[in-house]
Amino acid sequence: MRLQWAVISSFCALGGITFAQQYPLAVDLELVIAVDVSYSMDVEEQQVQRQGYVAAFRSPEIVNALRGGALGKVAVTYIEWGGSAVQVVPWSLIDSPESAARFADALQRQPVRRISFTSISNALAFARALFRSNGFRASRRIIDVSGDGPNNAGAPVPVARNAAVAEGIVIDGLPIVLKGPPGSVSFAEIDVYYEKCVIGGEGAFILPVTDITQFPQAIRKKLLIEISGLKLTEGRGQQMRLVQYKPYNCLVGEELQEQSIGK
């Protein structure tokens, strides 16, 4: 049997296919956490958000949620994005308190970075690519994207959203409705922007954050819903909101960027 597996592995390698691609590990969920680190996010907001994810993966609630799945395991990776995107923590199998803690520790050790511009579309495209050869297989794939500003670089965000949804990927949003430049309408309505232009797929939802102190609870709540695969109902205020496709100017970020350049 050992020789048989060695022959199979060699065949896959010679054919340009890795063993992980040929025989991916089955998990309940493949999750990309995509976090905005553009310059519209101040350092305090970035640190609080980062610590919110670290604390979430150290919490018993998250471990209990993943154990409640049919297989009791999920695959998670963490990326940060602005105009471009960076994979901060590689794909990790989380199936126990120990593996969840290792993921949290790996994230804790990473420096806080900042990236110019805001390209949600590039972040979604980057995340899509990460699913293709991650060595895992799940019936559910989710991109969990957070941010406080509209797309202002790269392709229009609905193009990237629709491409991901066409592949069966669900995009959930954590819009950060804190503060923006005086008179900035786009920042004030970033929750509406995320709802109309960013999220998509079956059961997609947003969970707005309107105060910096809400980050830890919102992050944990959102991860619990995604890992558990719960179905949501329409809510109010800080409750989850399901995607509703209605006419909206999804190029508002690009237009504001052009206006700022023209001044």
Side-chain angles (χ1 to χ4, degrees):
M1 179 61 73
R2 186 174 298 173
L3 177 61
Q4 181 181 1
W5 280 110
V7 172
I8 292 173
S9 299
S10 299
F11 176 79
C12 292
L14 290 172
I17 302 174
T18 66
F19 186 83
Q21 288 173 298
Q22 188 74 5
Y23 299 96
L25 177 65
V27 294
D28 294 306
L29 169 68
E30 299 168 57
L31 175 64
V32 176
I33 300 171
V35 176
D36 182 3
V37 295
S38 63
Y39 278 84
S40 61
M41 294 281 292
D42 66 36
V43 175
E44 181 186 9
E45 291 167 3
Q46 285 184 272
Q47 291 174 337
V48 171
Q49 184 170 207
R50 169 74 68 83
Q51 290 308 309
Y53 282 105
V54 169
F57 281 98
R58 288 175 177 165
S59 69
E61 296 98 320
I62 295 297
V63 175
N64 290 337
L66 69 89
R67 281 177 166 173
L71 301 173
K73 58 186 73 172
V74 300
V76 184
T77 186
Y78 188 101
I79 72 173
E80 293 179 338
W81 58 273
S84 58
V86 178
Q87 189 176 26
V88 177
V89 180
W91 283 105
S92 305
L93 176 66
I94 300 181
D95 59 358
S96 66
E98 293 76 19
S99 56
R102 285 194 296 271
F103 184 88
D105 292 344
L107 180 56
Q108 177 80 66
R109 289 192 296 268
Q110 291 296 317
V112 175
R113 61 175 54 76
R114 307 186 83 181
I115 303 175
S116 299
F117 295 103
T118 300
S119 183
I120 303 171
S121 58
N122 283 348
L124 294 178
F126 185 83
R128 280 176 58 215
L130 292 178
F131 284 119
R132 293 172 188 153
S133 59
N134 62 7
F136 298 99
R137 182 186 73 254
S139 59
R140 296 189 299 123
R141 293 178 295 166
I142 296 176
I143 302 173
D144 180 341
V145 58
S146 67
D148 70 345
N151 197 78
N152 63 22
V157 72
V159 174
R161 175 197 63 194
N162 295 343
V165 171
E167 294 181 3
I169 299 168
V170 174
I171 305 166
D172 295 329
L174 187 75
I176 302 165
V177 195
L178 298 181
K179 60 181 183 297
S184 174
V185 176
S186 63
F187 280 82
E189 60 180 23
I190 194 62
D191 54 336
V192 179
Y193 178 87
Y194 262 64
E195 182 180 335
K196 307 302 182 186
C197 309
V198 178
I199 67 173
E202 184 178 357
F205 68 95
I206 63 169
L207 181 55
V209 171
T210 58
D211 187 274
I212 195 170
T213 61
Q214 296 173 350
F215 269 122
Q217 180 182 0
I219 287 169
R220 187 168 60 252
K221 184 175 185 178
K222 194 161 184 290
L223 289 174
L224 285 171
I225 293 167
E226 291 166 338
I227 291 172
S228 301
L230 298 176
K231 299 297 182 182
L232 304 179
T233 57
E234 189 72 16
R236 297 179 180 177
Q238 288 306 116
Q239 299 299 312
M240 291 71 65
R241 282 161 34 192
L242 297 169
V243 61
Q244 295 183 359
Y245 294 109
K246 294 181 180 178
Y248 184 85
N249 180 17
C250 291
L251 295 177
V252 61
E254 288 83 352
E255 292 173 359
L256 288 170
Q257 180 72 8
E258 289 182 6
Q259 292 173 15
S260 66
I261 294 174
K263 290 180 179 179

